[in-house]
CSV table of all heavy atoms in Angstrom, one decimal:
chain,number,residue,atom,x,y,z
A,133,MET,N,75.7,137.3,124.4
A,133,MET,CA,75.0,136.5,125.4
A,133,MET,C,74.2,137.6,126.3
A,133,MET,O,74.8,138.6,126.8
A,133,MET,CB,76.0,135.8,126.4
A,133,MET,CG,75.3,135.3,127.6
A,133,MET,SD,74.2,133.9,127.3
A,133,MET,CE,75.3,132.6,127.1
A,134,TRP,N,72.9,137.4,126.1
A,134,TRP,CA,72.0,138.4,126.9
A,134,TRP,C,71.5,137.7,128.3
A,134,TRP,O,71.2,136.7,128.3
A,134,TRP,CB,70.7,138.7,126.0
A,134,TRP,CG,71.1,139.4,124.7
A,134,TRP,CD1,71.2,139.0,123.6
A,134,TRP,CD2,71.0,140.8,124.7
A,134,TRP,NE1,71.3,140.0,122.7
A,134,TRP,CE2,71.3,141.2,123.3
A,134,TRP,CE3,70.8,141.9,125.6
A,134,TRP,CZ2,71.3,142.5,122.9
A,134,TRP,CZ3,70.9,143.1,125.2
A,134,TRP,CH2,71.2,143.5,123.8
A,135,ALA,N,71.4,138.6,129.1
A,135,ALA,CA,70.8,138.3,130.5
A,135,ALA,C,69.7,139.3,130.9
A,135,ALA,O,70.1,140.6,130.7
A,135,ALA,CB,71.9,138.2,131.6
A,136,ALA,N,68.5,138.9,131.1
A,136,ALA,CA,67.5,139.9,131.4
A,136,ALA,C,66.7,139.6,132.6
A,136,ALA,O,66.4,138.4,132.9
A,136,ALA,CB,66.7,140.1,130.1
A,137,GLY,N,66.1,140.5,133.2
A,137,GLY,CA,65.3,140.5,134.3
A,137,GLY,C,64.2,141.6,134.4
A,137,GLY,O,64.3,142.4,133.5
A,138,PRO,N,63.3,141.5,135.4
A,138,PRO,CA,62.1,142.5,135.4
A,138,PRO,C,62.6,144.0,135.9
A,138,PRO,O,63.6,144.0,136.7
A,138,PRO,CB,61.2,141.9,136.4
A,138,PRO,CG,62.1,141.1,137.3
A,138,PRO,CD,63.1,140.6,136.4
A,139,ALA,N,62.0,145.0,135.2
A,139,ALA,CA,62.2,146.4,135.6
A,139,ALA,C,60.9,146.8,135.9
A,139,ALA,O,59.9,146.1,136.1
A,139,ALA,CB,63.0,147.0,134.5
A,140,ASP,N,60.7,148.1,136.0
A,140,ASP,CA,59.3,148.7,136.4
A,140,ASP,C,58.6,149.0,135.0
A,140,ASP,O,59.2,149.1,134.0
A,140,ASP,CB,59.6,150.0,137.1
A,140,ASP,CG,60.5,151.1,136.4
A,140,ASP,OD1,61.0,150.8,135.3
A,140,ASP,OD2,60.6,152.2,136.9
A,141,ARG,N,57.3,149.1,135.2
A,141,ARG,CA,56.3,149.4,134.2
A,141,ARG,C,56.4,148.6,133.1
A,141,ARG,O,56.7,149.0,131.9
A,141,ARG,CB,56.4,150.9,133.9
A,141,ARG,CG,56.1,151.9,135.0
A,141,ARG,CD,55.9,153.4,134.5
A,141,ARG,NE,57.3,153.7,134.0
A,141,ARG,CZ,58.2,154.3,134.7
A,141,ARG,NH1,58.0,154.3,136.1
A,141,ARG,NH2,59.3,154.7,134.1
A,142,ASP,N,56.5,147.2,133.2
A,142,ASP,CA,56.4,146.3,132.2
A,142,ASP,C,57.5,146.5,131.3
A,142,ASP,O,57.5,146.4,129.9
A,142,ASP,CB,55.1,146.3,131.4
A,142,ASP,CG,53.9,145.9,132.2
A,142,ASP,OD1,54.2,145.0,133.1
A,142,ASP,OD2,52.9,146.4,131.8
A,143,ARG,N,58.7,146.8,131.8
A,143,ARG,CA,60.0,146.9,131.0
A,143,ARG,C,61.0,145.8,131.6
A,143,ARG,O,60.9,145.2,132.7
A,143,ARG,CB,60.6,148.3,131.2
A,143,ARG,CG,59.7,149.4,130.5
A,143,ARG,CD,60.3,150.6,130.4
A,143,ARG,NE,60.6,151.1,131.8
A,143,ARG,CZ,61.4,152.2,132.1
A,143,ARG,NH1,61.8,152.9,131.0
A,143,ARG,NH2,61.6,152.6,133.3
A,144,ALA,N,61.9,145.6,130.7
A,144,ALA,CA,63.0,144.6,131.0
A,144,ALA,C,64.3,145.2,131.1
A,144,ALA,O,64.7,146.2,130.4
A,144,ALA,CB,63.1,143.6,129.9
A,145,LEU,N,65.1,144.8,132.2
A,145,LEU,CA,66.4,145.3,132.4
A,145,LEU,C,67.5,144.3,131.9
A,145,LEU,O,67.3,143.0,132.3
A,145,LEU,CB,66.6,145.5,133.9
A,145,LEU,CG,68.0,146.0,134.3
A,145,LEU,CD1,68.3,147.3,133.7
A,145,LEU,CD2,68.2,146.1,135.9
A,146,ALA,N,68.2,144.5,131.0
A,146,ALA,CA,69.0,143.5,130.3
A,146,ALA,C,70.5,144.0,130.2
A,146,ALA,O,70.8,145.1,130.4
A,146,ALA,CB,68.7,143.3,128.8
A,147,VAL,N,71.3,142.9,130.2
A,147,VAL,CA,72.9,143.1,130.0
A,147,VAL,C,73.4,142.3,128.9
A,147,VAL,O,72.9,141.1,128.7
A,147,VAL,CB,73.4,142.6,131.4
A,147,VAL,CG1,75.0,142.7,131.2
A,147,VAL,CG2,73.1,143.5,132.5
A,148,GLU,N,74.2,142.9,128.1
A,148,GLU,CA,74.8,142.1,127.0
A,148,GLU,C,76.4,141.8,127.4
A,148,GLU,O,76.9,142.7,127.7
A,148,GLU,CB,74.6,142.8,125.7
A,148,GLU,CG,75.2,144.2,125.5
A,148,GLU,CD,75.1,144.8,124.2
A,148,GLU,OE1,75.8,144.4,123.3
A,148,GLU,OE2,74.2,145.6,124.2
A,149,VAL,N,76.6,140.6,127.1
A,149,VAL,CA,78.0,140.2,127.1
A,149,VAL,C,78.5,139.6,125.8
A,149,VAL,O,77.9,138.8,125.2
A,149,VAL,CB,78.2,139.2,128.2
A,149,VAL,CG1,79.7,138.7,128.4
A,149,VAL,CG2,77.8,139.6,129.6
A,150,ASP,N,79.7,140.0,125.4
A,150,ASP,CA,80.4,139.7,124.1
A,150,ASP,C,80.6,138.2,124.1
A,150,ASP,O,81.2,137.6,125.1
A,150,ASP,CB,81.7,140.5,123.9
A,150,ASP,CG,82.2,140.2,122.5
A,150,ASP,OD1,81.4,139.6,121.7
A,150,ASP,OD2,83.4,140.4,122.3
A,151,TYR,N,80.0,137.5,123.2
A,151,TYR,CA,80.1,135.9,123.2
A,151,TYR,C,80.9,135.5,122.0
A,151,TYR,O,80.9,134.3,121.6
A,151,TYR,CB,78.7,135.4,123.1
A,151,TYR,CG,78.7,134.0,123.3
A,151,TYR,CD1,78.9,133.4,124.6
A,151,TYR,CD2,78.3,133.1,122.3
A,151,TYR,CE1,78.8,132.0,124.8
A,151,TYR,CE2,78.2,131.7,122.4
A,151,TYR,CZ,78.5,131.2,123.7
A,151,TYR,OH,78.4,129.9,124.0
A,152,ALA,N,81.6,136.5,121.3
A,152,ALA,CA,82.4,136.2,120.1
A,152,ALA,C,83.6,135.3,120.4
A,152,ALA,O,83.8,134.3,119.7
A,152,ALA,CB,82.9,137.4,119.5
A,153,GLN,N,84.2,135.4,121.5
A,153,GLN,CA,85.5,134.6,121.8
A,153,GLN,C,85.1,133.1,121.9
A,153,GLN,O,85.6,132.2,121.6
A,153,GLN,CB,86.2,135.1,123.0
A,153,GLN,CG,87.4,134.4,123.4
A,153,GLN,CD,88.5,134.4,122.3
A,153,GLN,OE1,88.7,135.3,121.6
A,153,GLN,NE2,89.1,133.1,122.0
A,154,GLN,N,83.8,133.0,122.8
A,154,GLN,CA,83.5,131.7,123.1
A,154,GLN,C,82.9,131.0,121.9
A,154,GLN,O,83.0,129.8,121.7
A,154,GLN,CB,82.5,131.8,124.2
A,154,GLN,CG,82.7,132.1,125.6
A,154,GLN,CD,82.8,133.7,125.7
A,154,GLN,OE1,82.8,134.4,124.8
A,154,GLN,NE2,82.7,134.1,126.9
A,155,SER,N,82.2,131.8,120.9
A,155,SER,CA,81.8,131.3,119.7
A,155,SER,C,83.0,130.7,118.8
A,155,SER,O,82.8,129.7,118.2
A,155,SER,CB,80.9,132.2,119.0
A,155,SER,OG,80.3,131.7,117.7
A,156,ARG,N,84.0,131.6,118.8
A,156,ARG,CA,85.2,131.1,118.0
A,156,ARG,C,85.9,129.9,118.6
A,156,ARG,O,86.2,129.0,117.9
A,156,ARG,CB,86.1,132.2,117.8
A,156,ARG,CG,85.7,133.4,117.0
A,156,ARG,CD,86.9,134.3,116.8
A,156,ARG,NE,87.4,135.1,117.9
A,156,ARG,CZ,86.9,136.2,118.4
A,156,ARG,NH1,85.9,136.9,117.7
A,156,ARG,NH2,87.2,136.9,119.6
A,157,THR,N,85.8,129.8,119.9
A,157,THR,CA,86.4,128.6,120.5
A,157,THR,C,85.6,127.3,120.1
A,157,THR,O,86.1,126.4,119.8
A,157,THR,CB,86.3,128.8,122.1
A,157,THR,OG1,87.2,130.0,122.4
A,157,THR,CG2,87.0,127.6,122.7
A,158,ILE,N,84.2,127.5,120.2
A,158,ILE,CA,83.4,126.4,119.9
A,158,ILE,C,83.6,126.0,118.4
A,158,ILE,O,83.7,124.7,118.1
A,158,ILE,CB,81.9,126.6,120.2
A,158,ILE,CG1,81.8,126.7,121.7
A,158,ILE,CG2,81.1,125.4,119.7
A,158,ILE,CD1,80.4,127.1,122.1
A,159,ALA,N,83.6,127.0,117.5
A,159,ALA,CA,83.8,126.7,116.1
A,159,ALA,C,85.2,126.1,115.8
A,159,ALA,O,85.3,125.2,115.1
A,159,ALA,CB,83.7,128.1,115.3
A,160,GLY,N,86.3,126.6,116.6
A,160,GLY,CA,87.6,126.0,116.4
A,160,GLY,C,87.6,124.6,116.9
A,160,GLY,O,88.3,123.7,116.3
A,161,LEU,N,87.0,124.3,118.0
A,161,LEU,CA,86.9,122.9,118.4
A,161,LEU,C,86.1,122.0,117.3
A,161,LEU,O,86.6,121.0,117.2
A,161,LEU,CB,86.0,122.9,119.8
A,161,LEU,CG,85.8,121.5,120.4
A,161,LEU,CD1,87.1,120.8,120.7
A,161,LEU,CD2,84.8,121.6,121.6
A,162,ASP,N,85.0,122.5,116.8
A,162,ASP,CA,84.3,121.6,115.7
A,162,ASP,C,85.2,121.3,114.6
A,162,ASP,O,85.3,120.3,114.2
A,162,ASP,CB,83.1,122.4,115.3
A,162,ASP,CG,82.0,122.6,116.4
A,162,ASP,OD1,82.2,121.6,117.4
A,162,ASP,OD2,81.1,123.4,116.3
A,163,ARG,N,86.0,122.4,114.2
A,163,ARG,CA,87.0,122.1,113.0
A,163,ARG,C,88.0,121.1,113.5
A,163,ARG,O,88.4,120.2,112.7
A,163,ARG,CB,87.6,123.4,112.5
A,163,ARG,CG,86.7,124.4,111.8
A,163,ARG,CD,87.5,125.5,111.3
A,163,ARG,NE,88.1,126.3,112.1
A,163,ARG,CZ,87.5,127.4,112.7
A,163,ARG,NH1,86.3,127.8,112.4
A,163,ARG,NH2,88.1,128.1,113.6
A,164,SER,N,88.5,121.3,114.7
A,164,SER,CA,89.5,120.3,115.0
A,164,SER,C,88.9,118.8,115.2
A,164,SER,O,89.6,118.0,114.9
A,164,SER,CB,90.1,120.8,116.5
A,164,SER,OG,90.7,122.0,116.4
A,165,ILE,N,87.7,118.8,115.7
A,165,ILE,CA,87.2,117.4,115.7
A,165,ILE,C,86.9,116.8,114.3
A,165,ILE,O,87.2,115.7,114.1
A,165,ILE,CB,85.7,117.6,116.4
A,165,ILE,CG1,85.8,117.9,117.9
A,165,ILE,CG2,84.9,116.2,116.3
A,165,ILE,CD1,84.5,118.2,118.7
A,166,LEU,N,86.5,117.7,113.4
A,166,LEU,CA,86.4,117.1,111.9
A,166,LEU,C,87.6,116.8,111.4
A,166,LEU,O,87.7,115.8,110.8
A,166,LEU,CB,85.7,118.3,111.2
A,166,LEU,CG,84.1,118.5,111.4
A,166,LEU,CD1,83.7,119.7,110.5
A,166,LEU,CD2,83.3,117.2,111.4
A,167,TRP,N,88.7,117.6,111.6
A,167,TRP,CA,89.9,117.4,110.9
A,167,TRP,C,90.6,116.1,111.6
A,167,TRP,O,91.1,115.2,110.9
A,167,TRP,CB,90.9,118.5,111.3
A,167,TRP,CG,92.3,118.4,110.7
A,167,TRP,CD1,92.7,118.5,109.4
A,167,TRP,CD2,93.4,118.0,111.4
A,167,TRP,NE1,93.9,118.3,109.3
A,167,TRP,CE2,94.5,118.0,110.5
A,167,TRP,CE3,93.7,117.7,112.8
A,167,TRP,CZ2,95.8,117.6,110.9
A,167,TRP,CZ3,94.9,117.3,113.1
A,167,TRP,CH2,96.0,117.2,112.2
A,168,SER,N,90.5,116.0,112.9
A,168,SER,CA,91.2,114.9,113.7
A,168,SER,C,90.4,113.6,113.3
A,168,SER,O,91.0,112.5,113.1
A,168,SER,CB,91.2,115.0,115.3
A,168,SER,OG,89.9,115.4,115.6
A,169,SER,N,89.1,113.6,113.3
A,169,SER,CA,88.2,112.5,112.8
A,169,SER,C,88.6,112.0,111.4
A,169,SER,O,88.7,110.8,111.3
A,169,SER,CB,86.8,112.8,113.0
A,169,SER,OG,86.4,113.2,114.5
A,170,GLY,N,88.7,112.9,110.6
A,170,GLY,CA,89.0,112.5,109.2
A,170,GLY,C,90.4,111.9,109.1
A,170,GLY,O,90.6,110.8,108.5
A,171,LEU,N,91.4,112.5,110.0
A,171,LEU,CA,92.7,111.9,110.0
A,171,LEU,C,92.7,110.5,110.6
A,171,LEU,O,93.3,109.6,110.0
A,171,LEU,CB,93.7,112.8,110.7
A,171,LEU,CG,95.1,112.3,110.8
A,171,LEU,CD1,95.7,112.2,109.4
A,171,LEU,CD2,96.0,113.3,111.7
A,172,ALA,N,92.0,110.4,111.7
A,172,ALA,CA,92.0,109.0,112.4
A,172,ALA,C,91.2,108.1,111.5
A,172,ALA,O,91.7,106.9,111.4
A,172,ALA,CB,91.2,109.2,113.7
A,173,ILE,N,90.1,108.5,110.8
A,173,ILE,CA,89.5,107.5,109.9
A,173,ILE,C,90.4,107.0,108.8
A,173,ILE,O,90.5,105.9,108.6
A,173,ILE,CB,88.2,108.1,109.3
A,173,ILE,CG1,87.1,108.3,110.5
A,173,ILE,CG2,87.6,107.3,108.1
A,173,ILE,CD1,86.0,109.1,110.0
A,174,GLY,N,91.2,108.0,108.1
A,174,GLY,CA,92.0,107.6,107.2
A,174,GLY,C,93.2,106.7,107.6
A,174,GLY,O,93.5,105.8,106.9
A,175,VAL,N,93.8,107.0,108.7
A,175,VAL,CA,94.9,106.2,109.2
A,175,VAL,C,94.4,104.8,109.6
A,175,VAL,O,95.0,103.8,109.3
A,175,VAL,CB,95.5,106.9,110.5
A,175,VAL,CG1,96.6,105.9,111.1
A,175,VAL,CG2,96.2,108.2,110.2
A,176,THR,N,93.3,104.8,110.3
A,176,THR,CA,92.7,103.4,110.7
A,176,THR,C,92.2,102.7,109.3
A,176,THR,O,92.5,101.5,109.3
A,176,THR,CB,91.3,103.7,111.5
A,176,THR,OG1,91.7,104.5,112.6
A,176,THR,CG2,90.9,102.4,112.0
A,177,LEU,N,91.7,103.4,108.4
A,177,LEU,CA,91.4,102.7,107.1
A,177,LEU,C,92.5,102.1,106.4
A,177,LEU,O,92.6,100.9,105.9
A,177,LEU,CB,90.7,103.6,106.2
A,177,LEU,CG,90.1,103.1,104.8
A,177,LEU,CD1,89.2,101.9,105.1
A,177,LEU,CD2,89.4,104.1,104.0
A,178,LEU,N,93.7,102.9,106.3
A,178,LEU,CA,94.9,102.4,105.7
A,178,LEU,C,95.5,101.3,106.5
A,178,LEU,O,95.9,100.1,105.9
A,178,LEU,CB,95.9,103.5,105.6
A,178,LEU,CG,95.6,104.6,104.7
A,178,LEU,CD1,96.7,105.7,104.8
A,178,LEU,CD2,95.6,104.0,103.3
A,179,MET,N,95.5,101.3,107.7
A,179,MET,CA,96.1,100.2,108.6
A,179,MET,C,95.1,99.0,108.5
A,179,MET,O,95.6,97.9,108.4
A,179,MET,CB,96.2,100.6,110.1
A,179,MET,CG,97.2,101.7,110.3
A,179,MET,SD,97.3,102.3,112.0
A,179,MET,CE,97.7,100.7,112.9
Side-chain angles (χ1 to χ4, degrees):
M133 170 67 75
W134 292 93
D140 54 356
R141 295 190 299 274
D142 295 330
R143 294 189 300 173
L145 180 63
V147 176
E148 60 177 286
V149 177
D150 187 15
Y151 193 70
Q153 180 62 40
Q154 292 86 340
S155 180
R156 285 193 297 268
T157 300
I158 295 175
L161 175 66
D162 291 341
R163 287 193 297 270
S164 298
I165 291 175
L166 291 176
W167 179 83
S168 59
S169 298
L171 180 62
I173 291 173
V175 172
T176 305
L177 183 59
L178 288 177
M179 294 178 63

